[in-house]
Amino acid sequence: MIVSAQTSGTLTTNSGSWTPITGLTVTIPQGVGVQALVILNVPNPFATGNSNPGGNFGVQVNGTVQSAFASFTYNEVNPPSTGRIPTTLTVPVALSQSGDLTVVAVWSGVRGSTVHIDSPATLTGIVA
């Protein structure tokens, strides 16, 4: 089984802590002894700022941010232009025996940056 969600429109965050990405929430049904592979694909993000701007991307399961995360930063302190930095994160998630799992994509800015998404990003869960 595959569950998926996709963003629409332009999204930004300048939060220094994990914040949900609007539109990227999926529910994975409970299972016994089974895992799901969760994939967060953000194909064209960019960041603005003046201290080596960048962004972090993660996955939160039932309110807990998983330890694996993806990140990007620019090499220049104040980049003359903001190139796109395709970012994909894959996280295995053990399914619960006691209920469904709510999976939310989260993001944050690096060193006060504003992170931008202006093309569709996806959160996909593949249940094995």
Side-chain angles (χ1 to χ4, degrees), residues 4 42 44 57 74 87 105 108 123:
S4 185
V42 188
N44 290 304
F57 296 92
Y74 293 101
T87 306
S108 66
L123 179 66

Side-chain angles (χ1 to χ4, degrees), residues 26-103:
V26 296
T27 300
I28 299 176
Q30 77 179 47
V32 179
V34 179
Q35 284 194 328
L37 180 62
V38 174
I39 304 165
L40 172 59
N41 184 42
V42 188
N44 290 304
F46 65 99
T48 55
N50 57 11
S51 182
N52 296 89
N56 298 310
F57 296 92
V59 171
Q60 177 180 298
V61 178
N62 283 357
T64 301
V65 176
Q66 304 303 287
S67 58
F69 71 97
S71 184
F72 73 88
T73 60
Y74 293 101
N75 293 331
E76 300 87 3
V77 171
N78 193 2
S81 65
T82 53
R84 304 302 177 121
I85 312 292
T87 306
T88 300
L89 172 65
T90 58
V91 179
V93 174
L95 298 184
S96 171
Q97 297 177 17
S98 59
D100 296 346
L101 298 177
T102 300
V103 180

